[in-house]
Amino acid sequence: MKIDSILINGFKRLVQFSVDPVGRSIEISGRNGQGKSSVIDAIWCALTSKEVPGVPINDKSVSAKIVVGLDDGHTVRMEFKKKGKSLIVEGPNGEPVMKPVAYLENLIGKISFDPFAFVDDEPAKQKAFLHEL
């Protein structure tokens, strides 16, 4: 799986961000506080349907939107509003995926895990989790 496009509006430090890697690797660089981690957090949120710590909507926006296009033609859209979040996964022809969370879990696989939950776990649970992988 490769990411074909990323569009982020109003998420964390980002007012607007987009990139179309077109099959290439990209490098995200910049000074502290410029939004590098916000880009990574946005991709993680969209592809896992989970939230990261902190407020997802930046103080210049009323909502946050993340759109990730995948190389198989699927599109993942996650939107945050004051009253909650929504997740939509569309297939190559724009048809909605009926179980978007299950689709993402299958896409990402078992190797993916929530790093924040892992850090908060007791050392024995961390060890058991790593042995299971």
Side-chain angles (χ1 to χ4, degrees):
M1 183 246 338
K2 291 183 181 177
I3 295 175
D4 274 349
S5 63
I6 304 166
L7 171 70
I8 306 167
N9 290 318
F11 183 79
K12 296 184 92 175
R13 287 203 164 270
L14 303 171
V15 174
Q16 186 171 1
F17 174 87
S18 66
V19 67
D20 295 314
V22 192
R24 299 172 299 193
S25 296
I26 62 168
E27 179 180 318
I28 300 170
S29 61
R31 296 186 317 264
N32 287 344
Q34 298 296 302
K36 300 178 300 290
S37 294
S38 296
V39 172
I40 301 303
D41 288 349
I43 294 168
W44 188 83
C45 281
L47 296 182
T48 65
S49 76
K50 297 179 181 176
E51 294 182 39
V52 293
V55 178
I57 303 170
N58 73 34
D59 57 358
K60 295 180 178 119
S61 305
V62 294
S63 65
K65 181 178 177 182
I66 305 162
V67 181
V68 178
L70 303 175
D71 65 346
D72 69 355
H74 282 78
T75 302
V76 180
R77 300 174 192 280
M78 185 168 229
E79 190 166 350
F80 296 90
K81 294 186 176 183
K82 301 287 183 199
K83 293 185 179 184
K85 67 178 181 175
S86 64
L87 172 70
I88 298 171
V89 178
E90 295 175 336
N93 298 317
E95 72 280 5
V97 171
M98 300 314 287
K99 295 182 179 180
V101 174
Y103 171 80
L104 293 174
E105 287 174 351
N106 186 52
L107 178 72
I108 301 300
K110 284 183 119 179
I111 193 69
S112 169
F113 65 95
D114 182 345
F116 299 107
F118 179 80
V119 168
D120 289 340
D121 268 346
E122 300 169 9
K125 287 184 179 180
Q126 290 173 338
K127 183 177 179 181
F129 176 79
L130 292 173
H131 280 196
E132 185 180 319
L133 284 178

Coordinates of all heavy atoms in Angstrom, one line a residue, residues 13-100:
R13 N -1.5 21.7 14.0 CA -0.8 22.9 13.6 C -1.0 23.4 12.1 O -0.6 24.4 11.7 CB 0.7 22.8 13.8 CG 1.1 22.8 15.2 CD 2.6 23.1 15.3 NE 3.0 23.5 16.6 CZ 2.9 24.7 17.1 NH1 2.5 25.7 16.4 NH2 3.3 25.0 18.3
L14 N -1.7 22.5 11.4 CA -1.8 22.8 9.9 C -3.1 23.5 9.6 O -4.2 23.1 10.0 CB -1.8 21.4 9.2 CG -0.6 20.6 9.4 CD1 -0.8 19.2 8.8 CD2 0.6 21.2 8.8
V15 N -3.0 24.6 8.9 CA -4.2 25.3 8.3 C -4.5 24.6 7.0 O -5.7 24.2 6.8 CB -3.9 26.8 8.1 CG1 -5.0 27.5 7.4 CG2 -3.6 27.5 9.4
Q16 N -3.5 24.4 6.2 CA -3.7 23.7 4.9 C -2.4 23.0 4.5 O -1.4 23.6 4.5 CB -4.2 24.6 3.8 CG -4.6 23.9 2.5 CD -5.3 24.9 1.5 OE1 -5.5 26.0 1.8 NE2 -5.7 24.3 0.4
F17 N -2.6 21.8 4.1 CA -1.4 21.0 3.6 C -1.9 20.0 2.6 O -2.9 19.4 2.7 CB -0.7 20.3 4.8 CG 0.4 19.3 4.4 CD1 1.7 19.8 4.3 CD2 0.1 18.0 4.1 CE1 2.7 19.0 3.9 CE2 1.1 17.1 3.7 CZ 2.4 17.6 3.6
S18 N -1.1 19.9 1.5 CA -1.4 18.8 0.5 C -0.1 18.4 -0.2 O 0.8 19.2 -0.3 CB -2.4 19.3 -0.5 OG -1.9 20.3 -1.3
V19 N -0.1 17.1 -0.6 CA 1.0 16.6 -1.3 C 0.5 15.4 -2.1 O -0.3 14.7 -1.7 CB 2.2 16.2 -0.4 CG1 1.9 15.0 0.5 CG2 3.5 15.9 -1.2
D20 N 1.1 15.3 -3.3 CA 0.8 14.2 -4.2 C 2.2 13.5 -4.5 O 2.9 13.9 -5.5 CB 0.2 14.6 -5.5 CG -1.2 15.2 -5.3 OD1 -2.0 14.6 -4.5 OD2 -1.5 16.3 -5.8
P21 N 2.6 12.5 -3.7 CA 3.9 12.0 -3.9 C 4.1 11.3 -5.2 O 5.3 11.1 -5.6 CB 4.0 11.0 -2.7 CG 2.8 11.1 -1.9 CD 1.9 12.0 -2.6
V22 N 3.1 10.8 -5.9 CA 3.2 10.2 -7.2 C 4.2 9.0 -7.2 O 5.1 9.0 -8.0 CB 3.5 11.2 -8.3 CG1 3.2 10.6 -9.7 CG2 2.6 12.4 -8.2
G23 N 4.1 8.1 -6.3 CA 4.9 7.0 -6.2 C 6.3 7.2 -5.7 O 7.1 6.3 -5.5
R24 N 6.6 8.4 -5.3 CA 8.0 8.7 -4.8 C 7.9 8.8 -3.2 O 6.9 9.0 -2.7 CB 8.5 10.0 -5.3 CG 8.6 10.0 -6.8 CD 9.0 11.4 -7.2 NE 7.8 12.2 -6.8 CZ 7.6 13.5 -7.2 NH1 8.5 14.0 -8.0 NH2 6.6 14.1 -6.8
S25 N 9.1 8.7 -2.6 CA 9.2 9.0 -1.2 C 9.3 10.5 -1.1 O 9.8 11.2 -2.0 CB 10.5 8.4 -0.6 OG 10.4 7.0 -0.7
I26 N 8.8 11.0 0.0 CA 8.9 12.4 0.3 C 9.6 12.6 1.7 O 9.6 11.8 2.5 CB 7.6 13.1 0.3 CG1 6.6 12.6 1.4 CG2 6.9 13.0 -1.1 CD1 5.4 13.5 1.6
E27 N 10.2 13.8 1.8 CA 10.8 14.1 3.1 C 10.1 15.3 3.6 O 9.8 16.3 2.9 CB 12.3 14.5 2.8 CG 13.0 15.0 4.1 CD 14.4 15.3 3.7 OE1 15.1 14.6 3.0 OE2 14.9 16.4 4.3
I28 N 9.7 15.2 4.9 CA 9.0 16.3 5.6 C 10.0 16.9 6.5 O 10.5 16.2 7.4 CB 7.8 15.8 6.3 CG1 6.8 15.2 5.3 CG2 7.1 17.0 7.1 CD1 5.6 14.5 6.0
S29 N 10.4 18.2 6.3 CA 11.4 18.8 7.2 C 10.9 20.2 7.5 O 10.0 20.8 6.8 CB 12.7 18.8 6.5 OG 12.7 19.6 5.3
G30 N 11.5 20.8 8.5 CA 11.2 22.1 8.9 C 11.6 22.4 10.4 O 12.0 21.5 11.1
R31 N 11.4 23.6 10.8 CA 11.8 24.0 12.2 C 10.8 23.4 13.1 O 9.7 23.0 12.7 CB 11.9 25.5 12.3 CG 12.9 26.1 11.4 CD 13.1 27.6 11.7 NE 11.8 28.3 11.8 CZ 11.2 29.0 10.8 NH1 11.7 29.0 9.6 NH2 10.1 29.6 11.0
N32 N 11.1 23.4 14.4 CA 10.2 23.0 15.4 C 8.9 23.8 15.4 O 9.0 25.0 15.2 CB 10.9 23.1 16.8 CG 11.9 22.1 17.1 OD1 12.0 21.1 16.4 ND2 12.8 22.3 18.1
G33 N 7.8 23.1 15.6 CA 6.5 23.8 15.7 C 5.9 24.2 14.3 O 5.0 24.9 14.2
Q34 N 6.5 23.6 13.2 CA 6.0 24.0 11.9 C 4.9 23.0 11.4 O 4.3 23.3 10.3 CB 7.2 24.1 10.9 CG 8.2 25.1 11.3 CD 7.6 26.5 11.2 OE1 7.1 27.0 10.2 NE2 7.6 27.2 12.3
G35 N 4.7 21.9 12.0 CA 3.6 21.0 11.6 C 4.1 19.6 11.1 O 3.2 18.9 10.6
K36 N 5.3 19.3 11.2 CA 5.8 18.0 10.7 C 5.1 16.8 11.4 O 4.5 15.9 10.8 CB 7.3 17.8 11.0 CG 8.2 18.8 10.3 CD 9.6 18.7 10.6 CE 10.0 18.7 12.0 NZ 9.9 20.1 12.6
S37 N 5.0 16.9 12.7 CA 4.3 15.9 13.5 C 2.8 15.9 13.2 O 2.2 14.8 13.2 CB 4.5 16.1 15.0 OG 5.9 15.9 15.3
S38 N 2.2 17.0 12.9 CA 0.8 17.1 12.6 C 0.5 16.3 11.3 O -0.5 15.7 11.2 CB 0.4 18.6 12.4 OG 0.5 19.3 13.6
V39 N 1.4 16.3 10.3 CA 1.3 15.6 9.1 C 1.2 14.1 9.4 O 0.4 13.3 9.0 CB 2.4 15.9 8.1 CG1 2.3 15.0 6.9 CG2 2.3 17.3 7.6
I40 N 2.2 13.6 10.2 CA 2.3 12.2 10.6 C 1.1 11.8 11.4 O 0.5 10.8 11.1 CB 3.6 11.9 11.3 CG1 4.8 12.3 10.5 CG2 3.7 10.5 11.8 CD1 4.9 11.6 9.1
D41 N 0.7 12.6 12.3 CA -0.5 12.3 13.2 C -1.8 12.2 12.3 O -2.6 11.4 12.5 CB -0.7 13.4 14.2 CG 0.3 13.3 15.4 OD1 1.1 12.3 15.4 OD2 0.4 14.3 16.2
A42 N -1.9 13.1 11.3 CA -3.1 13.1 10.4 C -3.1 11.8 9.6 O -4.2 11.2 9.5 CB -3.0 14.3 9.5
I43 N -2.0 11.4 9.1 CA -2.0 10.1 8.3 C -2.3 9.0 9.2 O -3.1 8.1 8.9 CB -0.6 9.9 7.7 CG1 -0.3 11.0 6.6 CG2 -0.5 8.5 7.1 CD1 1.1 11.1 6.1
W44 N -1.8 9.0 10.4 CA -2.0 7.9 11.4 C -3.5 7.9 11.8 O -4.1 6.8 11.8 CB -1.1 8.1 12.6 CG -1.2 6.9 13.6 CD1 -0.5 5.8 13.5 CD2 -2.0 6.8 14.8 NE1 -0.9 4.9 14.6 CE2 -1.8 5.6 15.3 CE3 -2.9 7.7 15.4 CZ2 -2.4 5.2 16.5 CZ3 -3.5 7.3 16.5 CH2 -3.3 6.0 17.1
C45 N -4.1 9.0 12.0 CA -5.5 9.1 12.4 C -6.4 8.5 11.3 O -7.3 7.7 11.5 CB -5.9 10.6 12.6 SG -5.5 11.3 14.2
A46 N -6.1 9.0 10.0 CA -6.9 8.5 8.9 C -6.8 7.0 8.7 O -7.8 6.4 8.4 CB -6.5 9.3 7.7
L47 N -5.6 6.5 8.8 CA -5.4 5.1 8.4 C -5.7 4.1 9.6 O -5.7 2.9 9.4 CB -4.0 4.9 7.9 CG -3.7 5.6 6.6 CD1 -2.3 5.3 6.1 CD2 -4.7 5.3 5.5
T48 N -5.9 4.6 10.8 CA -6.2 3.8 11.9 C -7.6 4.1 12.5 O -8.1 3.3 13.3 CB -5.2 3.9 13.1 OG1 -5.3 5.2 13.6 CG2 -3.8 3.5 12.6
S49 N -8.2 5.2 12.1 CA -9.5 5.7 12.6 C -9.4 6.1 14.1 O -10.4 6.2 14.7 CB -10.6 4.8 12.3 OG -10.6 3.7 13.2
K50 N -8.2 6.3 14.6 CA -8.0 6.6 16.0 C -7.6 8.1 16.1 O -7.1 8.7 15.1 CB -7.0 5.7 16.6 CG -7.5 4.3 16.7 CD -6.4 3.4 17.3 CE -6.9 2.0 17.3 NZ -5.9 1.0 17.8
E51 N -7.8 8.7 17.2 CA -7.3 10.0 17.5 C -6.0 10.0 18.2 O -5.6 9.1 18.9 CB -8.4 10.8 18.3 CG -9.7 11.0 17.6 CD -10.7 11.8 18.4 OE1 -10.3 12.7 19.1 OE2 -11.9 11.4 18.4
V52 N -5.3 11.1 18.1 CA -4.0 11.3 18.8 C -4.3 12.3 20.0 O -5.4 13.0 19.9 CB -2.9 11.9 17.9 CG1 -2.5 11.0 16.8 CG2 -3.4 13.2 17.3
P53 N -3.5 12.3 21.0 CA -3.7 13.2 22.1 C -3.8 14.7 21.7 O -3.1 15.0 20.7 CB -2.5 12.9 23.0 CG -2.1 11.6 22.7 CD -2.3 11.4 21.2
G54 N -4.5 15.4 22.4 CA -4.6 16.9 22.1 C -5.8 17.2 21.3 O -6.6 16.3 21.0
V55 N -6.0 18.4 21.0 CA -7.1 18.9 20.2 C -6.8 18.8 18.7 O -5.9 19.4 18.2 CB -7.4 20.4 20.6 CG1 -8.6 20.9 19.8 CG2 -7.7 20.5 22.1
P56 N -7.7 18.0 18.0 CA -7.4 17.8 16.6 C -7.7 19.1 15.7 O -7.0 19.2 14.7 CB -8.3 16.7 16.2 CG -9.4 16.7 17.2 CD -8.8 17.3 18.4
I57 N -8.6 19.9 16.1 CA -8.9 21.1 15.3 C -8.1 22.3 15.8 O -8.1 22.6 17.0 CB -10.4 21.5 15.5 CG1 -11.3 20.3 15.1 CG2 -10.8 22.7 14.7 CD1 -12.7 20.4 15.5
N58 N -7.4 22.9 14.9 CA -6.5 24.1 15.3 C -7.4 25.3 15.6 O -8.6 25.3 15.2 CB -5.4 24.4 14.2 CG -5.9 25.0 13.0 OD1 -6.9 25.8 12.9 ND2 -5.3 24.7 11.9
D59 N -6.8 26.3 16.2 CA -7.6 27.4 16.7 C -8.0 28.4 15.6 O -8.8 29.3 15.8 CB -6.8 28.2 17.8 CG -5.4 28.7 17.3 OD1 -5.0 28.4 16.2 OD2 -4.7 29.3 18.1
K60 N -7.6 28.2 14.4 CA -8.0 29.0 13.2 C -9.1 28.4 12.4 O -9.5 28.9 11.4 CB -6.8 29.3 12.3 CG -5.7 30.1 13.0 CD -4.5 30.3 12.1 CE -3.5 31.1 12.8 NZ -2.2 30.5 12.9
S61 N -9.6 27.2 12.8 CA -10.6 26.4 12.1 C -11.7 26.0 13.0 O -11.6 25.9 14.2 CB -9.9 25.2 11.5 OG -8.8 25.5 10.7
V62 N -12.9 25.7 12.3 CA -14.0 25.2 13.0 C -14.2 23.7 12.9 O -14.9 23.0 13.6 CB -15.3 25.9 12.6 CG1 -15.3 27.3 13.0 CG2 -15.6 25.7 11.1
S63 N -13.4 23.1 11.9 CA -13.3 21.7 11.7 C -12.0 21.3 11.2 O -11.2 22.2 10.7 CB -14.5 21.2 10.8 OG -14.2 21.8 9.5
A64 N -11.7 20.0 11.2 CA -10.5 19.5 10.6 C -10.8 18.4 9.6 O -11.7 17.6 9.9 CB -9.5 19.0 11.7
K65 N -10.1 18.4 8.5 CA -10.4 17.4 7.5 C -9.1 16.7 7.0 O -8.1 17.4 6.8 CB -11.1 18.0 6.3 CG -11.5 17.1 5.2 CD -12.3 18.0 4.2 CE -12.6 17.2 3.0 NZ -13.3 18.0 2.0
I66 N -9.1 15.4 6.9 CA -7.9 14.7 6.4 C -8.5 13.8 5.3 O -9.4 13.0 5.5 CB -7.3 13.8 7.5 CG1 -7.0 14.6 8.7 CG2 -6.1 13.0 7.0 CD1 -6.7 13.8 10.0
V67 N -7.8 13.9 4.1 CA -8.2 13.0 3.0 C -6.9 12.3 2.5 O -5.9 13.0 2.2 CB -8.8 13.8 1.8 CG1 -9.2 12.8 0.7 CG2 -10.0 14.6 2.3
V68 N -6.9 11.0 2.5 CA -5.7 10.2 2.1 C -6.2 9.3 0.9 O -7.1 8.5 1.1 CB -5.2 9.3 3.2 CG1 -4.0 8.5 2.8 CG2 -4.8 10.2 4.4
G69 N -5.5 9.5 -0.2 CA -5.8 8.7 -1.4 C -4.7 7.6 -1.4 O -3.5 7.8 -1.3
L70 N -5.2 6.4 -1.7 CA -4.3 5.2 -1.7 C -4.1 4.7 -3.1 O -4.9 4.9 -4.0 CB -4.9 4.1 -0.8 CG -5.2 4.5 0.6 CD1 -5.9 3.3 1.4 CD2 -3.9 4.9 1.3
D71 N -3.0 4.0 -3.3 CA -2.7 3.5 -4.7 C -3.6 2.5 -5.2 O -3.6 2.2 -6.4 CB -1.2 3.0 -4.7 CG -1.0 1.8 -3.9 OD1 -1.8 1.4 -3.1 OD2 0.1 1.2 -4.1
D72 N -4.5 1.9 -4.4 CA -5.5 0.9 -4.9 C -6.8 1.6 -5.3 O -7.7 1.0 -5.7 CB -5.7 -0.2 -3.9 CG -6.5 0.3 -2.7 OD1 -6.7 1.5 -2.5 OD2 -6.8 -0.6 -1.9
G73 N -6.8 3.0 -5.3 CA -8.0 3.7 -5.7 C -8.9 4.1 -4.5 O -9.8 4.9 -4.7
H74 N -8.7 3.5 -3.3 CA -9.5 3.9 -2.2 C -9.2 5.3 -1.7 O -8.0 5.7 -1.8 CB -9.3 2.8 -1.1 CG -10.1 1.6 -1.3 ND1 -9.6 0.6 -2.2 CD2 -11.3 1.1 -0.8 CE1 -10.5 -0.4 -2.2 NE2 -11.5 -0.1 -1.4
T75 N -10.1 5.9 -1.1 CA -9.9 7.2 -0.4 C -10.4 7.2 1.0 O -11.6 6.7 1.2 CB -10.7 8.3 -1.2 OG1 -10.2 8.3 -2.5 CG2 -10.4 9.7 -0.6
V76 N -9.6 7.6 1.9 CA -10.0 7.7 3.3 C -10.2 9.1 3.7 O -9.4 10.0 3.5 CB -8.9 7.1 4.2 CG1 -9.3 7.1 5.7 CG2 -8.6 5.6 3.8
R77 N -11.4 9.4 4.2 CA -11.8 10.8 4.7 C -12.1 10.8 6.1 O -13.0 10.0 6.6 CB -13.0 11.3 3.9 CG -12.8 11.4 2.4 CD -14.1 11.8 1.7 NE -14.0 11.6 0.3 CZ -13.3 12.4 -0.6 NH1 -12.8 13.5 -0.1 NH2 -13.3 12.1 -1.9
M78 N -11.4 11.6 6.9 CA -11.7 11.7 8.3 C -12.0 13.2 8.6 O -11.2 14.0 8.2 CB -10.6 11.2 9.2 CG -10.9 11.2 10.6 SD -9.7 10.2 11.5 CE -10.7 9.2 12.5
E79 N -13.1 13.5 9.3 CA -13.4 14.9 9.6 C -13.7 15.0 11.1 O -14.4 14.1 11.7 CB -14.6 15.3 8.8 CG -14.8 16.8 8.9 CD -15.8 17.3 7.8 OE1 -16.1 16.6 6.9 OE2 -16.1 18.5 7.9
F80 N -13.1 16.0 11.7 CA -13.3 16.3 13.1 C -14.2 17.6 13.2 O -13.9 18.6 12.5 CB -12.0 16.6 13.8 CG -11.1 15.4 13.9 CD1 -10.2 15.1 12.9 CD2 -11.2 14.5 14.9 CE1 -9.4 14.0 12.9 CE2 -10.4 13.3 15.0 CZ -9.5 13.1 13.9
K81 N -15.2 17.6 14.0 CA -16.0 18.7 14.3 C -16.1 18.8 15.8 O -15.7 17.9 16.5 CB -17.4 18.7 13.6 CG -17.3 18.7 12.1 CD -18.7 18.7 11.5 CE -18.5 18.9 10.0 NZ -19.8 19.0 9.3
K82 N -16.7 19.9 16.3 CA -16.8 20.1 17.7 C -17.6 19.0 18.4 O -17.3 18.6 19.5 CB -17.5 21.4 18.0 CG -16.7 22.7 17.5 CD -15.5 23.0 18.3 CE -14.8 24.2 17.7 NZ -13.5 24.4 18.0
K83 N -18.5 18.4 17.6 CA -19.4 17.4 18.2 C -18.9 15.9 17.9 O -19.6 15.0 18.2 CB -20.8 17.5 17.7 CG -21.5 18.8 18.1 CD -22.9 18.9 17.7 CE -23.6 20.1 18.2 NZ -25.0 20.2 17.9
G84 N -17.7 15.8 17.4 CA -17.2 14.4 17.1 C -16.5 14.3 15.8 O -16.1 15.3 15.2
K85 N -16.3 13.0 15.4 CA -15.5 12.8 14.2 C -16.4 11.9 13.3 O -17.3 11.2 13.7 CB -14.2 12.2 14.5 CG -14.3 10.8 15.1 CD -12.9 10.2 15.3 CE -13.1 8.8 15.9 NZ -11.8 8.1 16.1
S86 N -16.0 11.9 12.0 CA -16.6 11.0 11.1 C -15.5 10.3 10.2 O -14.5 11.0 10.0 CB -17.6 11.7 10.2 OG -17.0 12.6 9.4
L87 N -15.8 9.1 9.8 CA -14.8 8.4 8.9 C -15.6 7.8 7.7 O -16.6 7.2 7.9 CB -14.2 7.3 9.7 CG -13.3 6.3 8.9 CD1 -12.0 7.0 8.4 CD2 -13.0 5.1 9.7
I88 N -15.1 8.1 6.5 CA -15.7 7.5 5.3 C -14.5 6.9 4.5 O -13.5 7.6 4.3 CB -16.4 8.6 4.5 CG1 -17.6 9.2 5.3 CG2 -16.9 8.0 3.2 CD1 -18.2 10.4 4.6
V89 N -14.7 5.7 4.1 CA -13.8 5.1 3.1 C -14.5 4.8 1.9 O -15.6 4.2 1.9 CB -13.1 3.8 3.7 CG1 -12.2 3.2 2.7 CG2 -12.4 4.1 5.0
E90 N -14.0 5.3 0.7 CA -14.6 5.1 -0.6 C -13.7 4.2 -1.4 O -12.5 4.3 -1.4 CB -14.9 6.4 -1.3 CG -15.8 7.3 -0.5 CD -15.9 8.7 -1.2 OE1 -15.0 9.1 -1.9 OE2 -17.0 9.3 -1.0
G91 N -14.4 3.3 -2.2 CA -13.7 2.5 -3.1 C -13.2 3.2 -4.4 O -13.5 4.4 -4.5
P92 N -12.6 2.5 -5.3 CA -12.0 3.2 -6.5 C -13.1 3.9 -7.3 O -12.8 4.9 -8.0 CB -11.4 2.0 -7.3 CG -11.1 1.0 -6.2 CD -12.2 1.1 -5.2
N93 N -14.3 3.5 -7.3 CA -15.4 4.1 -8.1 C -16.2 5.0 -7.3 O -17.3 5.4 -7.7 CB -16.3 3.0 -8.8 CG -15.5 2.2 -9.7 OD1 -14.7 2.7 -10.5 ND2 -15.7 0.9 -9.7
G94 N -15.8 5.4 -6.1 CA -16.5 6.3 -5.2 C -17.6 5.6 -4.3 O -18.3 6.3 -3.6
E95 N -17.7 4.3 -4.4 CA -18.7 3.6 -3.6 C -18.2 3.5 -2.2 O -17.0 3.3 -1.9 CB -18.9 2.2 -4.2 CG -17.8 1.2 -4.0 CD -16.6 1.3 -5.0 OE1 -16.6 2.2 -5.8 OE2 -15.7 0.4 -4.9
P96 N -19.1 3.7 -1.2 CA -18.7 3.7 0.2 C -18.4 2.2 0.6 O -19.0 1.3 0.2 CB -20.0 4.2 0.9 CG -21.1 4.0 0.0 CD -20.5 4.0 -1.4
V97 N -17.3 2.1 1.4 CA -17.0 0.9 2.0 C -17.8 0.7 3.3 O -17.9 1.6 4.1 CB -15.4 0.8 2.4 CG1 -15.1 -0.4 3.2 CG2 -14.6 0.9 1.1
M98 N -18.6 -0.3 3.4 CA -19.6 -0.5 4.4 C -19.0 -0.6 5.8 O -19.7 -0.2 6.8 CB -20.5 -1.7 4.1 CG -21.3 -1.5 2.7 SD -22.0 0.1 2.5 CE -23.4 0.1 3.6
K99 N -17.9 -1.2 5.9 CA -17.3 -1.3 7.3 C -15.9 -0.7 7.2 O -14.9 -1.4 7.1 CB -17.2 -2.8 7.7 CG -18.5 -3.5 7.9 CD -18.4 -4.9 8.3 CE -19.7 -5.5 8.5 NZ -19.6 -6.9 9.0
P100 N -15.8 0.6 7.3 CA -14.5 1.3 7.0 C -13.5 1.0 8.1 O -12.3 0.9 7.7 CB -14.9 2.8 7.1 CG -16.2 2.9 7.8 CD -16.9 1.6 7.5

